[in-house]
Amino acid sequence: QKEVEQDPGPLSVPEGAIVSLNCTYSNSAFQYFMWYRQYSRKGPELLMYTYSSGNKEDGRFTAQVDKSSKYISLFIRDSQPSDSATYLCAKGKAAGNKLTFGGGTRVLVKP
Amino acid sequence: DVKVTQSSRYLVKRTGEKVFLECVQDMDHENMFWYRQDPGLGLRLIYFSYDVKMKEKGDIPEGYSVSREKKERFSLILESASTNQTSMYLCASSSTGETEAFFGQGTRLTVV
């Protein structure tokens, strides 16, 4: 079993819809949970991170971590075509340390 | 503007060749990482380094080695390239105590 599982998609939604992305993980010894966004032919860029459990909101993006069920979620409200990318969840034990990534979910927002 | 620069975007090498992938960061970060990215598998950690001349194996180090002689530069070496090392290679750097890791644009390596 992979340490971080993520549905590969693709997930296709109409513009303006809510995008819901999920990951599950198997090892509880991690404190940092991140979402990276990767556009085609580019390196990943940090979108959001959460420390331990709880929610975090940044504009149209909300990240949630439920440590009891080992579940990581990302919600994108009012999705735009520019949100079309691959979204990678990741976890780390400490800030700046190595990360363990999920396989990535490809999202396509259609105008 | 922070930058992680990988020396090549695309490389084609022959089986058995020794291959060097170079990565330079200009942010004075202590930590540097090499990942490979394959469809459906996400990013997998090959090697990482928390300081100059230090290196640690990641999850898939077989067939690879690394060198970090200077703080800003982290090199990935494929001692004898094989076709199963055809992949996208991503370098990243981070600062201890800071959450974000910054990635380079990637090197797409094809071994024929």
Side-chain angles (χ1 to χ4, degrees):
Chain A
Q1 183 189 5
K2 290 175 63 176
E3 275 203 58
V4 182
E5 298 275 4
Q6 189 175 2
D7 188 326
L11 180 63
S12 183
V13 300
E15 183 176 355
I18 294 175
V19 176
S20 174
L21 301 169
N22 301 296
C23 288
T24 58
Y25 64 95
S26 58
N27 186 337
S28 299
F30 289 85
Q31 297 294 333
Y32 289 87
F33 300 91
M34 295 123 180
W35 285 95
Y36 277 80
R37 179 174 61 194
Q38 185 177 24
Y39 290 114
S40 181
R41 291 185 291 275
K42 300 277 189 182
E45 292 178 308
L46 181 66
L47 190 59
M48 294 185 72
Y49 77 91
T50 308
Y51 175 73
S52 194
S53 267
N55 293 3
K56 189 171 186 179
E57 192 170 316
D58 184 4
R60 298 185 294 112
F61 300 88
T62 300
Q64 290 183 352
V65 175
D66 183 344
K67 291 191 83 174
S68 61
S69 58
K70 298 188 177 69
Y71 215 69
I72 312 166
S73 301
L74 178 71
F75 301 97
I76 308 173
R77 291 181 298 281
D78 188 26
S79 58
Q80 305 295 311
S82 58
D83 294 327
S84 298
T86 296
Y87 291 81
L88 298 146
C89 60
K91 57 176 186 168
K93 286 185 180 178
N97 271 18
K98 60 179 181 175
L99 299 174
T100 302
F101 284 86
T105 300
R106 189 163 150 250
V107 172
L108 179 62
V109 181
K110 295 183 175 179
Chain B
D1 195 19
V2 296
K3 255 209 171 134
V4 179
T5 303
Q6 295 182 230
S7 53
S8 305
R9 289 297 301 271
Y10 301 95
L11 274 179
V12 180
K13 297 291 182 181
R14 295 197 179 276
T15 302
E17 275 193 77
K18 191 168 185 176
V19 181
F20 293 85
L21 302 183
E22 307 286 344
C23 175
V24 177
Q25 51 96 1
D26 65 0
M27 296 165 281
D28 201 34
H29 284 168
E30 303 87 6
N31 313 318
M32 296 189 75
F33 310 86
W34 275 107
Y35 294 88
R36 64 176 281 176
Q37 184 175 26
D38 300 287
L41 297 178
L43 278 73
R44 292 180 291 166
L45 184 63
I46 305 171
Y47 266 97
F48 60 103
S49 168
Y50 288 147
D51 202 352
V52 176
K53 296 193 185 294
M54 291 185 67
K55 59 185 179 184
E56 292 191 43
K57 292 180 180 179
D59 300 316
I60 52 165
E62 297 78 18
Y64 304 94
S65 62
V66 290
S67 172
R68 193 166 180 203
E69 296 296 318
K70 293 185 178 182
K71 190 176 186 180
E72 67 270 18
R73 187 180 296 269
F74 194 34
S75 303
L76 180 69
I77 304 154
L78 286 67
E79 297 290 342
S80 177
S82 64
T83 54
N84 63 13
Q85 291 178 311
T86 291
S87 187
M88 170 70 85
Y89 289 88
L90 288 159
C91 174
S93 72
S94 69
S95 180
T96 301
E98 297 291 331
T99 309
E100 185 168 3
F102 295 86
F103 283 83
Q105 76 278 23
T107 296
R108 185 164 293 283
L109 173 68
T110 302
V111 182
V112 298

